[in-house]
Amino acid sequence: MNTTANHTSPPAPRVSKTRRRLPVLILAALLAAVPAHHALADKNDHIEARELLKRGEIVPLARILEVVQQRVPGDVIEVELEREDGLWEYKVKVLTPTGRVRKLYLDARNGVVLKIKDD
């Protein structure tokens, strides 16, 4: 008689793509207004981003992500909001289904794609 118990671990929970993106999106929303030369310098950058949104100076991140998915489908892995030459610009990195990383630059006022490049 075999007294060794058969202990099997339960299968690891599957993580949906939405759930995997959630931490990135939350981080992106909180850090949305990080100036180019002060990355992570101010813990109140999310307040500035909210004010920019209220004043209509930038479009919501959700709209930017819609545009990005239309142009370059894949998983968003990084989002930045920076002031470039006096204008607010979203920079979004996407990991494509083929494993390529693409970076999109969008006008933060209207969501227009300014350029797309490989990263």
Side-chain angles (χ1 to χ4, degrees), residues 69-87:
Q69 286 300 300
Q70 290 170 2
R71 293 294 296 271
V72 180
D75 293 322
V76 172
I77 57 174
E78 185 178 347
V79 177
E80 297 175 358
L81 178 62
E82 299 180 347
R83 194 156 179 97
E84 294 287 336
D85 299 323
L87 300 174

Side-chain angles (χ1 to χ4, degrees), residues 48-116:
E48 183 178 3
R50 183 169 289 171
E51 289 302 315
L52 290 167
L53 184 60
K54 279 184 185 179
R55 292 193 306 261
E57 292 184 43
I58 63 172
V59 296
L61 180 58
R63 175 66 188 128
I64 295 298
L65 296 176
E66 288 173 8
V67 171
V68 166
Q69 286 300 300
Q70 290 170 2
R71 293 294 296 271
V72 180
D75 293 322
V76 172
I77 57 174
E78 185 178 347
V79 177
E80 297 175 358
L81 178 62
E82 299 180 347
R83 194 156 179 97
E84 294 287 336
D85 299 323
L87 300 174
W88 288 102
E89 186 177 273
Y90 281 102
K91 295 179 182 175
V92 182
K93 282 187 184 179
V94 176
L95 177 62
T96 68
T98 60
R100 223 165 116 186
V101 176
R102 310 281 323 265
K103 192 168 192 177
L104 292 86
Y105 297 80
L106 300 96
D107 185 325
R109 293 173 302 160
N110 54 25
V112 170
V113 176
L114 302 172
K115 67 181 170 181
I116 301 173

Side-chain angles (χ1 to χ4, degrees), residues 1-76:
M1 180 168 152
N2 187 352
T3 60
T4 306
N6 185 4
H7 295 292
T8 59
S9 300
R14 292 181 55 122
V15 178
S16 72
K17 285 185 181 181
T18 303
R19 182 173 269 170
R20 267 186 291 167
R21 282 190 223 154
L22 187 59
V24 172
L25 298 180
I26 291 171
L27 178 62
L30 292 175
L31 302 176
V34 177
H37 60 283
H38 288 112
L40 303 176
D42 187 355
K43 65 181 177 181
N44 295 317
D45 287 336
H46 62 285
I47 295 170
E48 183 178 3
R50 183 169 289 171
E51 289 302 315
L52 290 167
L53 184 60
K54 279 184 185 179
R55 292 193 306 261
E57 292 184 43
I58 63 172
V59 296
L61 180 58
R63 175 66 188 128
I64 295 298
L65 296 176
E66 288 173 8
V67 171
V68 166
Q69 286 300 300
Q70 290 170 2
R71 293 294 296 271
V72 180
D75 293 322
V76 172

